[in-house]
Amino acid sequence: MSAVGAGLTLPFLLVYLHDVRGIELGPAGLVLSAIAIAGLAGTPVGGLLADLLGPRRPAAAGLVLAAAGTAGMIGVRSAWEGALWAALYGFGVALAEPCFQSLLSTSVRPAHRSQVFAVRHALLNVGLSAGSLLAAFLVDLSSARTFVTIYVVDAGTFLTFAMLIARTPGRGRAAPGHGARRDRGARARGSLTGGARGGYRAIVADRLLLRICVLVAVVFICGYGQYYSAYPVFAIQSGGLDAAALQLTFLANTCTVVLTQLFVLRLVTGRRRTRAFALSAALMALAWLTVVGAAHLGGGPAAVAVFTAAMVLFAAGETLMAPSVPAIVNDLASDDNRGRYNGAHSFAQTLGYIVGPAVAGAMVGSGRGSLLFLVLALALGLVALHATRLDRLLAPAANVIGAGQADAADTDAEHAGHGA
């Protein structure tokens, strides 16, 4: 429901600022940047508050701030006003994200964490698509009132989300599970101890988490961060696509995620999360290589078909990322530091969304788009290689997607008993 509200407003934010409020494109672009920059501050704060206060109240507070930010956009008349409200919006969303991930991970048993994150990813895509489609019918560039309507609706969905989180009963603590590391003594030796008072010092000391966050940051810089920045510009300028054909490729991506996420989840159930992570990065790399090939077809139906195939490959990578990495992060965490672990993970994602477009603008703007996508594919290939090496650092029971995880935990315990 909340994603429907975001789908109503986010695709039209730049259009609203420029065409309706008369703000120049340069300053209007800075308003968009304010969302991501504020997110860098919001994710660690949200993670820390989740550990100090429990995830429910900070999540609700973040959603209220996001509602205030999106409602404030209604009266914007200048770039600095837009940046102020956009920053409040970005901070609120980022504040709520690690709290919400913590709530999701503790609402089910550890064996089902992969499923719940996969379902969330599918539903987010459903909501964003439905919101964008609804906005196409509601928005009229000649009428500021239509924009007021969608911003009010968006604010309302945030407030409703906040009330549901605040009022829904739940334990807010993880169900009994298993250790995520091969070395069961790792928790006792310090990286997972210290409680919330230690801030992020104990989190930074966890080399396994940092390694995962670095890989996630690279995936978001080279993958997700290019999806709405380098890819559309390159597909139009070098690939010869028009706006309608470009939208068709985006539609193929979204439909693939929505229609196949649960099917992919069933295929990978019982398999290693790290292998799903590696395959996700590899498919994104293959998608960018396909984009480079499509750009040399000279436009026309053949180019549209290959660009569409590239977006389908990218979507397949997304469906493998969703049930793997968030579940690993939450299995590494304890109840004392779950919020900060999710905060670190969200911070890596946000960093990728900021750095990715900056890299894209420099390369595509200088006419080196093909080289950019080749480098991106190489970087994602290296992520895939390093992701497979995480196998030796994770306990088998923590590295299995879905139902097979419970069996792996039992087998792990049985082996430990025989060893004793």
Side-chain angles (χ1 to χ4, degrees):
M1 180 183 63
S2 185
V4 170
L8 282 172
T9 57
L10 287 180
F12 292 94
L13 179 55
L14 193 61
V15 174
Y16 167 68
L17 293 173
H18 179 63
D19 293 347
V20 177
R21 295 308 183 194
I23 300 174
E24 295 295 326
L25 282 176
L30 294 177
V31 173
L32 292 176
S33 299
I35 297 176
I37 293 172
L40 283 180
T43 51
V45 173
L48 182 60
L49 290 178
D51 289 335
L52 287 170
L53 306 175
R56 198 175 303 278
R57 285 181 289 173
L63 292 168
V64 170
L65 291 177
T70 195
M73 297 300 294
I74 294 172
V76 164
R77 293 295 185 275
S78 64
W80 73 266
E81 288 180 314
L84 177 66
W85 292 114
L88 183 62
Y89 168 87
F91 184 84
V93 171
L95 184 73
E97 178 61 18
C99 302
F100 188 51
Q101 287 187 357
S102 297
L103 284 171
L104 281 177
S105 71
T106 55
S107 67
V108 296
R109 293 190 176 277
H112 297 147
R113 281 179 180 147
S114 292
Q115 283 92 328
V116 78
F117 284 114
V119 170
R120 184 205 181 191
H121 184 243
L123 291 178
L124 279 175
N125 277 270
V126 170
L128 289 170
S129 301
S132 299
L133 183 62
L134 183 60
F137 290 99
L138 293 177
V139 169
D140 181 358
L141 292 179
S142 63
S143 172
R145 182 175 298 178
T146 59
F147 284 91
V148 171
T149 299
I150 63 173
Y151 279 106
V152 168
V153 171
D154 189 20
T157 61
F158 277 122
L159 292 176
T160 305
F161 192 5
M163 287 189 293
L164 286 172
I165 284 183
R167 293 173 62 88
T168 300
R171 58 182 177 270
R173 294 289 182 180
H178 47 261
R181 303 168 188 278
R182 281 190 177 273
D183 182 359
R184 302 302 198 275
R187 293 179 184 271
R189 287 200 297 268
S191 66
L192 297 180
T193 59
R197 292 183 181 179
Y200 276 88
R201 286 179 299 175
I203 310 305
V204 173
D206 187 339
R207 293 183 179 180
L208 178 54
L209 176 68
L210 287 182
R211 187 170 180 174
I212 292 171
C213 286
V214 168
L215 294 178
V216 168
V218 175
V219 168
F220 274 76
I221 290 170
C222 299
Y224 294 94
Q226 308 300 332
Y227 180 74
Y228 281 120
S229 55
Y231 167 70
V233 177
F234 182 73
I236 290 175
Q237 291 183 354
S238 300
L241 299 191
D242 57 21
L246 179 64
Q247 285 300 110
L248 178 63
T249 68
F250 282 133
L251 179 63
N253 173 273
T254 303
C255 289
T256 301
V257 170
V258 172
L259 296 176
T260 67
Q261 178 69 82
L262 299 184
F263 175 72
V264 169
L265 178 63
R266 177 171 293 184
L267 286 179
V268 298
T269 295
R271 302 182 185 276
R272 295 178 183 179
R273 289 169 173 167
T274 50
R275 299 301 171 89
F277 183 18
L279 182 56
S280 171
L283 285 171
M284 290 181 185
L286 181 58
W288 291 151
L289 292 176
T290 305
V291 163
V292 174
H296 290 83
L297 295 177
V304 174
V306 178
F307 274 115
T308 301
M311 289 298 96
V312 170
L313 287 170
F314 194 91
E318 293 183 65
T319 62
L320 288 164
M321 180 74 71
S324 56
V325 180
I328 291 175
V329 170
N330 277 277
D331 272 6
L332 286 176
S334 68
D335 279 342
D336 289 334
N337 55 32
R338 188 175 309 282
R340 282 167 291 160
Y341 269 60
N342 282 303
H345 178 227
S346 298
F347 184 90
Q349 293 177 325
T350 305
L351 186 65
Y353 279 125
I354 294 175
V355 176
V359 173
M363 294 288 286
V364 177
S366 61
R368 293 177 288 181
S370 293
L371 176 61
L372 168 67
F373 281 99
L374 290 174
V375 172
L376 296 175
L378 175 61
L380 288 167
L382 292 175
V383 169
L385 177 63
H386 283 282
T388 60
R389 295 179 178 176
L390 296 174
D391 284 352
R392 59 186 175 82
L393 302 175
L394 290 169
N399 196 21
V400 178
I401 294 175
Q405 201 169 344
D407 297 334
D410 292 340
T411 302
D412 215 24
E414 183 179 350
H415 287 326
H418 287 314

